[in-house]
């Protein structure tokens, strides 16, 4: 995604002041002389320039609200959700409260999320472990260290050339000052989404997961996440999976703690995951019918699709 221009044209200068009408014949010579001098002066022909010209708009760096990792914040969120949504209250009662604590700095978490993209959990964990060994340890995950790794080195530990380009693009934006850990922590949600999606390989879903599980932002609704959408469908008994625009309206009552509401939707899906079929002994009298095989394959496929949805926090450690 290319970097967007954040400047806007300055407002046009006001028109020049109209010339003063000719003085009356009875006016004194000194008055006429001073008027003529004023009319001839270029400084009086135009209004004085504003000493404080309008500034170019910049991204807002307003400090966001208390993160979910702050003491008592999850408790406050749960109390609000109970009062605002009695249907959700039953789900809250059925699960332990979530814990939002991330042990890594923002840059480290973003690197880890890129490494985990589109991989099964075990495979991603293996790549991540080799990545740490290549750098030395977790404290060595810095922008300069990532930039020092060549695509060939990364390919040897299982990182594709495309992901290597994503890692290098993220590191370059840190080194150039476009991004920094302190700016990310203090940036408001909207500005953060704009800045992070400028990084290759980081889309809206990754930004939402990062904001919830790494930064502990309290009011993030990942409306494009299929797990959250299916959880809302099950919660309210809807006939169809709500569209993202419908999800925004359905979850409006959860504000300002939609992140916690989304977490409970993943728990709803988790409870609905179909259990694997028991092993069927293979023999001449115990072969499953073709229909049974198809159903079993469909269930396995559903499980493969459900697991990433119900546990998106695999990409960010330390989340409960």
């Amino acid at each position: 995604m290319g970097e967007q221009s954040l400047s806007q044209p300055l407002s046009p200068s006001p028109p020049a002041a109209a010339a003063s009408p000719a003085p009356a014949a009875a006016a004194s010579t000194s008055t006429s002389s001073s008027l003529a001098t004023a009319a001839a002066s270029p400084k009086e022909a135009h209004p004085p320039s504003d000493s404080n010209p309008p500034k170019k708009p910049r991204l807002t760096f307003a400090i966001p609200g208390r993160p979910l990792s702050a003491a008592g914040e999850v408790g406050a969120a749960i109390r609000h959700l109970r009062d605002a949504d009695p249907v959700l209250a039953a789900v809250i009662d059925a699960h332990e409260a979530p814990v939002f604590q991330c042990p890594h700095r923002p840059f480290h978490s973003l690197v880890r999320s890129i490494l985990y993209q589109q991989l099964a959990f075990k495979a991603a964990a293996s790549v991540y472990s080799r990545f740490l060994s290549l750098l030395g340890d977790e404290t060595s995950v810095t922008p300069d260290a990532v930039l020092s790794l060549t695509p060939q080195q990364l390919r040897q530990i299982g990182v594709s050339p495309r992901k290597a380009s994503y890692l290098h693009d993220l590191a370059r934006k840190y080194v150039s000052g476009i991004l920094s850990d302190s700016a990310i922590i203090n940036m408001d949600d909207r500005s953060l989404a704009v800045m992070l999606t400028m990084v290759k390989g980081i889309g809206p879903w990754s930004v939402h997961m990062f904001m919830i599980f790494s930064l502990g932002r309290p009011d993030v609704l990942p409306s494009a996440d299929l797990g959250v959408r299916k959880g809302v469908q099950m919660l309210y008994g809807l006939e169809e999976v709500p569209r993202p625009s419908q999800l925004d309206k359905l979850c409006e009552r959860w504000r300002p703690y939609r992140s916690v509401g989304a977490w409970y939707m993943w728990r709803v899906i988790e409870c609905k995951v179909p259990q694997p079929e028991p092993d069927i002994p293979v023999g001449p009298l115990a072969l499953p019918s073709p229909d049974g095989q198809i159903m079993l394959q469909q269930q396995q496929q559903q499980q493969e699709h459900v697991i990433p949805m119900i546990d998106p926090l695999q990409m960010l450690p330390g989340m409960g």
Side-chain angles (χ1 to χ4, degrees):
M1 175 177 177
E3 296 188 12
Q4 300 177 351
S5 173
L6 301 175
S7 62
Q8 84 181 21
L10 298 176
S11 47
S13 301
S20 302
S28 65
T29 305
S30 60
T31 304
S32 300
S33 175
S34 60
L35 285 173
T37 302
S41 173
K43 292 184 179 180
E44 296 298 328
H46 297 278
S49 60
D50 190 354
S51 59
N52 295 313
K55 298 180 179 180
K56 295 180 181 180
R58 300 176 63 187
L59 288 176
T60 304
F61 281 80
I63 297 176
R66 282 164 55 86
L68 292 170
S69 57
E73 197 63 16
V74 170
I78 289 176
R79 288 191 295 273
H80 169 78
L81 293 173
R82 283 182 187 277
D83 294 340
D85 193 342
V87 180
L88 180 58
V91 178
I92 294 173
D93 292 338
H95 297 86
E96 294 185 3
V99 177
F100 295 86
Q101 295 289 341
C102 182
H104 298 144
R105 294 173 292 102
F107 177 77
H108 190 147
S109 294
L110 290 168
V111 166
R112 191 176 188 275
S113 71
I114 291 174
L115 291 173
Y116 271 63
Q117 285 177 1
Q118 299 178 338
L119 291 178
F121 178 72
K122 289 184 178 179
S126 177
V127 171
Y128 176 67
S129 177
R130 293 196 294 268
F131 177 78
L132 293 180
S133 298
L134 192 61
L135 290 179
D137 55 29
E138 289 191 335
T139 62
S140 302
V141 182
T142 64
D144 288 330
V146 171
L147 275 178
S148 70
L149 299 176
T150 66
Q152 291 75 19
Q153 287 177 299
L154 290 168
R155 189 177 184 86
Q156 288 175 353
I157 63 170
V159 178
S160 68
R162 177 173 294 183
K163 279 191 181 180
S165 71
Y166 297 165
L167 293 172
H168 286 159
D169 187 59
L170 172 66
R172 276 193 295 269
K173 283 180 169 54
Y174 262 78
V175 170
S176 66
I178 295 175
L179 291 174
S180 68
D181 284 349
S182 60
I184 285 175
I185 291 171
N186 293 320
M187 211 179 295
D188 66 88
D189 292 350
R190 186 182 298 275
S191 300
L192 183 58
V194 171
M195 296 301 290
L196 288 184
T197 51
M198 289 181 180
V199 180
K200 293 179 181 178
I202 296 182
W205 185 88
S206 295
V207 171
H208 287 155
M209 297 303 105
F210 172 74
M211 287 197 293
I212 294 173
F213 295 113
S214 183
L215 301 182
R217 296 290 174 93
D219 195 35
V220 177
L221 180 66
S223 54
D225 184 90
L226 185 56
V228 174
R229 292 165 58 200
K230 286 188 69 66
V232 169
Q233 179 194 19
M234 294 177 181
L235 180 69
Y236 298 126
L238 305 177
E239 293 184 359
E240 297 181 353
V241 177
R243 297 188 299 273
S245 59
Q246 294 173 321
L247 193 74
D248 291 337
K249 295 178 181 179
L250 289 168
C251 301
E252 181 67 23
R253 70 188 77 180
W254 297 351
R255 287 181 182 271
Y257 293 108
R258 292 180 298 172
S259 300
V260 181
W263 186 90
Y264 279 109
M265 293 305 95
W266 285 309
R267 304 286 75 79
V268 170
I269 292 294
E270 187 177 42
C271 294
K272 299 295 182 180
V273 173
Q275 297 299 316
E277 294 289 333
D279 293 335
I280 303 174
V282 178
L285 300 177
L287 288 174
S289 65
D291 291 340
Q293 275 188 325
I294 293 173
M295 289 182 62
L296 195 58
Q297 290 174 354
Q298 290 175 342
Q299 288 179 344
Q300 291 171 345
Q301 290 173 353
Q302 288 175 354
Q303 285 179 303
E304 291 174 357
H305 289 295
V306 167
I307 288 173
M309 294 190 306
I310 65 171
D311 203 6
L313 47 135
Q314 287 177 344
M315 61 183 247
L316 296 168
M319 302 298 131

Short mmCIF file of all heavy atoms in Angstrom, two decimals, residues 167-209:
data_model
loop_
_atom_site.label_atom_id
_atom_site.label_comp_id
_atom_site.label_asym_id
_atom_site.label_seq_id
_atom_site.Cartn_x
_atom_site.Cartn_y
_atom_site.Cartn_z
N LEU A 167 9.11 -8.63 6.12
CA LEU A 167 9.93 -8.34 7.31
C LEU A 167 10.86 -7.17 7.06
O LEU A 167 11.02 -6.27 7.90
CB LEU A 167 10.73 -9.58 7.70
CG LEU A 167 9.94 -10.79 8.20
CD1 LEU A 167 10.86 -12.00 8.36
CD2 LEU A 167 9.26 -10.48 9.53
N HIS A 168 11.49 -7.14 5.89
CA HIS A 168 12.42 -6.06 5.57
C HIS A 168 11.69 -4.73 5.41
O HIS A 168 12.21 -3.67 5.80
CB HIS A 168 13.20 -6.40 4.30
CG HIS A 168 14.25 -7.45 4.52
ND1 HIS A 168 14.77 -8.21 3.48
CD2 HIS A 168 14.86 -7.88 5.65
CE1 HIS A 168 15.67 -9.04 3.97
NE2 HIS A 168 15.74 -8.87 5.28
N ASP A 169 10.48 -4.75 4.85
CA ASP A 169 9.72 -3.51 4.70
C ASP A 169 9.35 -2.95 6.06
O ASP A 169 9.45 -1.73 6.30
CB ASP A 169 8.47 -3.76 3.86
CG ASP A 169 7.73 -2.48 3.53
OD1 ASP A 169 8.35 -1.59 2.90
OD2 ASP A 169 6.56 -2.35 3.90
N LEU A 170 8.92 -3.81 6.98
CA LEU A 170 8.61 -3.36 8.34
C LEU A 170 9.85 -2.77 9.01
O LEU A 170 9.79 -1.68 9.60
CB LEU A 170 8.07 -4.54 9.16
CG LEU A 170 7.89 -4.29 10.65
CD1 LEU A 170 6.80 -3.25 10.90
CD2 LEU A 170 7.55 -5.60 11.37
N ALA A 171 10.98 -3.48 8.91
CA ALA A 171 12.21 -3.00 9.54
C ALA A 171 12.66 -1.67 8.95
O ALA A 171 13.12 -0.77 9.68
CB ALA A 171 13.30 -4.05 9.40
N ARG A 172 12.54 -1.51 7.63
CA ARG A 172 12.95 -0.25 7.00
C ARG A 172 12.09 0.91 7.48
O ARG A 172 12.60 2.03 7.67
CB ARG A 172 12.86 -0.37 5.47
CG ARG A 172 14.08 -1.01 4.83
CD ARG A 172 14.08 -0.82 3.33
NE ARG A 172 12.96 -1.51 2.70
CZ ARG A 172 13.02 -2.76 2.24
NH1 ARG A 172 14.15 -3.46 2.35
NH2 ARG A 172 11.97 -3.32 1.68
N LYS A 173 10.80 0.68 7.68
CA LYS A 173 9.93 1.76 8.15
C LYS A 173 10.28 2.14 9.58
O LYS A 173 10.07 3.30 9.99
CB LYS A 173 8.46 1.34 8.01
CG LYS A 173 7.96 1.43 6.57
CD LYS A 173 6.52 1.03 6.44
CE LYS A 173 5.98 1.39 5.04
NZ LYS A 173 6.74 0.87 3.94
N TYR A 174 10.79 1.21 10.35
CA TYR A 174 11.26 1.55 11.70
C TYR A 174 12.58 2.33 11.62
O TYR A 174 12.74 3.35 12.30
CB TYR A 174 11.47 0.28 12.52
CG TYR A 174 10.31 -0.04 13.45
CD1 TYR A 174 9.15 -0.63 12.97
CD2 TYR A 174 10.39 0.21 14.81
CE1 TYR A 174 8.09 -0.92 13.82
CE2 TYR A 174 9.36 -0.08 15.67
CZ TYR A 174 8.20 -0.65 15.17
OH TYR A 174 7.16 -0.95 16.01
N VAL A 175 13.50 1.85 10.82
CA VAL A 175 14.81 2.50 10.73
C VAL A 175 14.67 3.93 10.19
O VAL A 175 15.36 4.85 10.64
CB VAL A 175 15.76 1.67 9.85
CG1 VAL A 175 17.04 2.44 9.55
CG2 VAL A 175 16.09 0.34 10.53
N SER A 176 13.75 4.13 9.25
CA SER A 176 13.57 5.46 8.67
C SER A 176 12.78 6.40 9.57
O SER A 176 12.72 7.60 9.30
CB SER A 176 12.85 5.34 7.32
OG SER A 176 11.52 4.85 7.51
N GLY A 177 12.16 5.86 10.63
CA GLY A 177 11.41 6.70 11.55
C GLY A 177 9.94 6.83 11.22
O GLY A 177 9.20 7.53 11.93
N ILE A 178 9.49 6.19 10.15
CA ILE A 178 8.06 6.22 9.83
C ILE A 178 7.26 5.57 10.95
O ILE A 178 6.17 6.02 11.31
CB ILE A 178 7.79 5.53 8.48
CG1 ILE A 178 8.46 6.32 7.35
CG2 ILE A 178 6.30 5.39 8.22
CD1 ILE A 178 8.35 5.65 6.00
N LEU A 179 7.80 4.49 11.51
CA LEU A 179 7.17 3.80 12.63
C LEU A 179 8.16 3.72 13.79
O LEU A 179 9.37 3.73 13.58
CB LEU A 179 6.73 2.38 12.22
CG LEU A 179 5.58 2.25 11.24
CD1 LEU A 179 5.40 0.78 10.84
CD2 LEU A 179 4.28 2.81 11.82
N SER A 180 7.62 3.60 14.97
CA SER A 180 8.43 3.36 16.17
C SER A 180 7.52 2.74 17.22
O SER A 180 6.29 2.89 17.16
CB SER A 180 9.05 4.64 16.70
OG SER A 180 8.06 5.51 17.23
N ASP A 181 8.10 2.06 18.19
CA ASP A 181 7.29 1.44 19.24
C ASP A 181 6.52 2.50 20.02
O ASP A 181 5.34 2.32 20.32
CB ASP A 181 8.19 0.65 20.20
CG ASP A 181 8.63 -0.69 19.61
OD1 ASP A 181 8.08 -1.09 18.57
OD2 ASP A 181 9.53 -1.32 20.19
N SER A 182 7.17 3.60 20.35
CA SER A 182 6.50 4.63 21.15
C SER A 182 5.35 5.27 20.38
O SER A 182 4.28 5.53 20.94
CB SER A 182 7.51 5.70 21.58
OG SER A 182 8.11 6.31 20.45
N ALA A 183 5.55 5.52 19.08
CA ALA A 183 4.48 6.11 18.27
C ALA A 183 3.30 5.15 18.17
O ALA A 183 2.14 5.56 18.26
CB ALA A 183 5.00 6.47 16.89
N ILE A 184 3.58 3.87 17.97
CA ILE A 184 2.51 2.88 17.86
C ILE A 184 1.71 2.79 19.15
O ILE A 184 0.48 2.72 19.14
CB ILE A 184 3.11 1.51 17.49
CG1 ILE A 184 3.51 1.50 16.01
CG2 ILE A 184 2.14 0.37 17.78
CD1 ILE A 184 4.23 0.25 15.57
N ILE A 185 2.38 2.83 20.29
CA ILE A 185 1.69 2.72 21.57
C ILE A 185 0.77 3.91 21.80
O ILE A 185 -0.33 3.77 22.34
CB ILE A 185 2.72 2.59 22.71
CG1 ILE A 185 3.43 1.23 22.63
CG2 ILE A 185 2.06 2.78 24.07
CD1 ILE A 185 4.61 1.09 23.57
N ASN A 186 1.19 5.09 21.38
CA ASN A 186 0.43 6.31 21.66
C ASN A 186 -0.53 6.72 20.55
O ASN A 186 -1.32 7.64 20.73
CB ASN A 186 1.39 7.48 21.92
CG ASN A 186 2.19 7.29 23.19
OD1 ASN A 186 1.65 6.83 24.20
ND2 ASN A 186 3.46 7.65 23.17
N MET A 187 -0.47 6.04 19.40
CA MET A 187 -1.31 6.42 18.27
C MET A 187 -2.75 5.97 18.48
O MET A 187 -3.00 4.92 19.05
CB MET A 187 -0.74 5.77 17.00
CG MET A 187 -0.96 6.57 15.73
SD MET A 187 -0.24 5.73 14.28
CE MET A 187 1.50 5.81 14.71
N ASP A 188 -3.70 6.78 18.02
CA ASP A 188 -5.10 6.38 18.12
C ASP A 188 -5.39 5.26 17.12
O ASP A 188 -4.62 5.02 16.19
CB ASP A 188 -6.03 7.57 17.87
CG ASP A 188 -5.94 8.10 16.45
OD1 ASP A 188 -6.67 7.59 15.59
OD2 ASP A 188 -5.12 9.00 16.19
N ASP A 189 -6.50 4.57 17.32
CA ASP A 189 -6.80 3.37 16.54
C ASP A 189 -6.85 3.64 15.04
O ASP A 189 -6.31 2.88 14.23
CB ASP A 189 -8.12 2.75 17.00
CG ASP A 189 -8.05 2.17 18.39
OD1 ASP A 189 -6.93 2.08 18.94
OD2 ASP A 189 -9.11 1.80 18.95
N ARG A 190 -7.51 4.71 14.65
CA ARG A 190 -7.67 5.00 13.22
C ARG A 190 -6.33 5.29 12.56
O ARG A 190 -6.02 4.77 11.49
CB ARG A 190 -8.63 6.17 13.03
CG ARG A 190 -8.98 6.46 11.57
CD ARG A 190 -9.90 7.66 11.47
NE ARG A 190 -11.16 7.42 12.15
CZ ARG A 190 -12.21 6.82 11.57
NH1 ARG A 190 -12.12 6.41 10.32
NH2 ARG A 190 -13.32 6.65 12.23
N SER A 191 -5.53 6.12 13.19
CA SER A 191 -4.22 6.45 12.63
C SER A 191 -3.32 5.22 12.59
O SER A 191 -2.57 5.02 11.64
CB SER A 191 -3.56 7.55 13.46
OG SER A 191 -4.34 8.73 13.46
N LEU A 192 -3.42 4.39 13.63
CA LEU A 192 -2.59 3.19 13.68
C LEU A 192 -2.93 2.25 12.53
O LEU A 192 -2.04 1.66 11.90
CB LEU A 192 -2.80 2.48 15.02
CG LEU A 192 -1.95 1.23 15.27
CD1 LEU A 192 -0.46 1.54 15.17
CD2 LEU A 192 -2.28 0.64 16.63
N ALA A 193 -4.22 2.11 12.23
CA ALA A 193 -4.63 1.25 11.12
C ALA A 193 -4.07 1.77 9.80
O ALA A 193 -3.60 0.99 8.96
CB ALA A 193 -6.15 1.16 11.06
N VAL A 194 -4.08 3.08 9.62
CA VAL A 194 -3.55 3.67 8.39
C VAL A 194 -2.05 3.40 8.26
O VAL A 194 -1.56 2.99 7.20
CB VAL A 194 -3.83 5.19 8.35
CG1 VAL A 194 -3.09 5.85 7.19
CG2 VAL A 194 -5.32 5.45 8.22
N MET A 195 -1.32 3.62 9.34
CA MET A 195 0.13 3.49 9.29
C MET A 195 0.58 2.04 9.12
O MET A 195 1.48 1.74 8.35
CB MET A 195 0.75 4.08 10.55
CG MET A 195 0.53 5.58 10.71
SD MET A 195 1.20 6.56 9.35
CE MET A 195 2.96 6.37 9.64
N LEU A 196 -0.06 1.12 9.85
CA LEU A 196 0.39 -0.27 9.79
C LEU A 196 0.03 -0.94 8.47
O LEU A 196 0.78 -1.81 8.00
CB LEU A 196 -0.20 -1.07 10.96
CG LEU A 196 0.37 -0.76 12.34
CD1 LEU A 196 -0.23 -1.68 13.39
CD2 LEU A 196 1.90 -0.89 12.35
N THR A 197 -1.08 -0.58 7.86
CA THR A 197 -1.43 -1.18 6.58
C THR A 197 -0.56 -0.64 5.44
O THR A 197 -0.66 -1.13 4.32
CB THR A 197 -2.92 -0.98 6.25
OG1 THR A 197 -3.26 0.41 6.38
CG2 THR A 197 -3.79 -1.80 7.17
N MET A 198 0.29 0.34 5.72
CA MET A 198 1.29 0.75 4.73
C MET A 198 2.43 -0.27 4.65
O MET A 198 3.20 -0.26 3.69
CB MET A 198 1.87 2.12 5.10
CG MET A 198 0.90 3.28 4.91
SD MET A 198 1.69 4.85 5.34
CE MET A 198 0.34 5.99 5.03
N VAL A 199 2.56 -1.11 5.66
CA VAL A 199 3.60 -2.13 5.67
C VAL A 199 3.15 -3.30 4.80
O VAL A 199 2.02 -3.78 4.92
CB VAL A 199 3.89 -2.61 7.10
CG1 VAL A 199 4.98 -3.68 7.10
CG2 VAL A 199 4.30 -1.44 7.99
N LYS A 200 4.03 -3.76 3.94
CA LYS A 200 3.70 -4.90 3.08
C LYS A 200 3.38 -6.12 3.94
O LYS A 200 4.08 -6.44 4.89
CB LYS A 200 4.87 -5.23 2.16
CG LYS A 200 5.17 -4.17 1.12
CD LYS A 200 6.38 -4.58 0.27
CE LYS A 200 6.72 -3.52 -0.76
NZ LYS A 200 7.92 -3.90 -1.56
N GLY A 201 2.30 -6.80 3.59
CA GLY A 201 1.95 -8.03 4.28
C GLY A 201 1.11 -7.84 5.52
O GLY A 201 0.71 -8.83 6.14
N ILE A 202 0.82 -6.61 5.91
CA ILE A 202 -0.02 -6.36 7.08
C ILE A 202 -1.32 -5.74 6.61
O ILE A 202 -1.34 -4.61 6.10
CB ILE A 202 0.68 -5.45 8.09
CG1 ILE A 202 1.92 -6.14 8.65
CG2 ILE A 202 -0.27 -5.07 9.24
CD1 ILE A 202 2.67 -5.33 9.69
N GLY A 203 -2.41 -6.50 6.76
CA GLY A 203 -3.72 -6.04 6.35
C GLY A 203 -4.59 -5.70 7.54
O GLY A 203 -4.16 -5.78 8.70
N PRO A 204 -5.86 -5.33 7.30
CA PRO A 204 -6.75 -4.93 8.39
C PRO A 204 -6.91 -6.00 9.47
O PRO A 204 -6.95 -5.68 10.66
CB PRO A 204 -8.08 -4.65 7.67
CG PRO A 204 -7.66 -4.26 6.28
CD PRO A 204 -6.47 -5.11 5.97
N TRP A 205 -7.02 -7.29 9.07
CA TRP A 205 -7.21 -8.34 10.08
C TRP A 205 -5.99 -8.41 10.99
O TRP A 205 -6.14 -8.50 12.23
CB TRP A 205 -7.43 -9.69 9.39
CG TRP A 205 -7.75 -10.79 10.36
CD1 TRP A 205 -8.98 -11.14 10.82
CD2 TRP A 205 -6.82 -11.68 10.98
NE1 TRP A 205 -8.89 -12.20 11.70
CE2 TRP A 205 -7.57 -12.56 11.82
CE3 TRP A 205 -5.44 -11.84 10.92
CZ2 TRP A 205 -6.97 -13.57 12.57
CZ3 TRP A 205 -4.84 -12.85 11.68
CH2 TRP A 205 -5.60 -13.69 12.49
N SER A 206 -4.79 -8.38 10.42
CA SER A 206 -3.58 -8.43 11.23
C SER A 206 -3.50 -7.22 12.17
O SER A 206 -3.07 -7.34 13.32
CB SER A 206 -2.33 -8.47 10.34
OG SER A 206 -2.29 -9.67 9.59
N VAL A 207 -3.92 -6.06 11.67
CA VAL A 207 -3.90 -4.86 12.50
C VAL A 207 -4.85 -5.02 13.68
O VAL A 207 -4.52 -4.68 14.83
CB VAL A 207 -4.27 -3.61 11.67
CG1 VAL A 207 -4.47 -2.40 12.57
CG2 VAL A 207 -3.20 -3.33 10.64
N HIS A 208 -6.05 -5.54 13.43
CA HIS A 208 -7.02 -5.73 14.51
C HIS A 208 -6.49 -6.70 15.56
O HIS A 208 -6.61 -6.45 16.77
CB HIS A 208 -8.34 -6.25 13.94
CG HIS A 208 -9.11 -5.22 13.19
ND1 HIS A 208 -10.02 -5.53 12.19
CD2 HIS A 208 -9.10 -3.86 13.27
CE1 HIS A 208 -10.54 -4.42 11.71
NE2 HIS A 208 -10.00 -3.40 12.34
N MET A 209 -5.90 -7.81 15.12
CA MET A 209 -5.36 -8.77 16.08
C MET A 209 -4.22 -8.15 16.89
O MET A 209 -4.11 -8.37 18.09
CB MET A 209 -4.86 -10.03 15.36
CG MET A 209 -5.93 -10.83 14.62
SD MET A 209 -7.30 -11.37 15.66
CE MET A 209 -8.58 -10.21 15.12
#
